[in-house]
Amino acid sequence: MSRASRRITENAQEHLEPGEQVQGAFAGQTAIRFQVTDRYRTVVATDRRLLIFDSGTFSQTSCTTLMAELPRDTAVGPPSGLLWHRLDLIGEVLHVHRRYFSEVAAIDAAAPSASTT
């Protein structure tokens, strides 16, 4: 797990249910080029669910506002693209940088549906 993913995990702890374990975390952004409307989102996968947080305009690792909670078997990959992976989980496109590709793959591998196939 990368340093940024570890920080996301630490920041998400207050939003977890008792006994819930984080399986992976990564950040994405709503636009590739910096714009005033660009926002960072953090995605945290636990053994029970997938959480999506708004992280604001300047931070990739904060977990300030819980935007959505999805079933754990929701796929976030496989990562594709040379530099950016496009991901649409909640009706907005997130651009996930290549540095998080291994996290995206690990989250999908740990999903309940991945272990049954």
Side-chain angles (χ1 to χ4, degrees), residues 1-94:
M1 187 179 283
S2 69
R3 186 174 67 175
S5 294
R6 283 192 301 271
R7 290 204 51 203
I8 293 168
T9 299
E10 291 168 9
N11 292 335
Q13 291 300 312
E14 67 185 77
H15 301 281
L16 301 181
E17 297 170 352
E20 193 168 19
Q21 299 296 314
V22 173
Q23 294 178 328
F26 63 90
Q29 56 194 86
T30 58
I32 294 176
R33 293 180 180 85
F34 181 77
Q35 301 171 12
V36 175
T37 58
D38 187 17
R39 306 285 292 181
Y40 285 104
R41 307 286 189 235
T42 52
V43 178
V44 178
T46 73
D47 55 339
R48 302 177 193 167
R49 56 196 174 139
L50 201 65
L51 304 170
I52 302 170
F53 296 95
D54 176 41
S55 295
T57 305
F58 301 107
S59 174
Q60 288 188 32
T61 59
S62 67
C63 298
T64 53
T65 305
L66 180 61
M67 295 181 63
E69 181 178 326
L70 302 173
R72 180 57 188 97
D73 60 353
T74 303
V76 293
S80 61
L82 183 62
L83 192 57
W84 299 96
H85 170 55
R86 290 174 50 98
L87 178 62
D88 185 352
L89 291 175
I90 58 171
E92 76 177 356
V93 174
L94 286 183

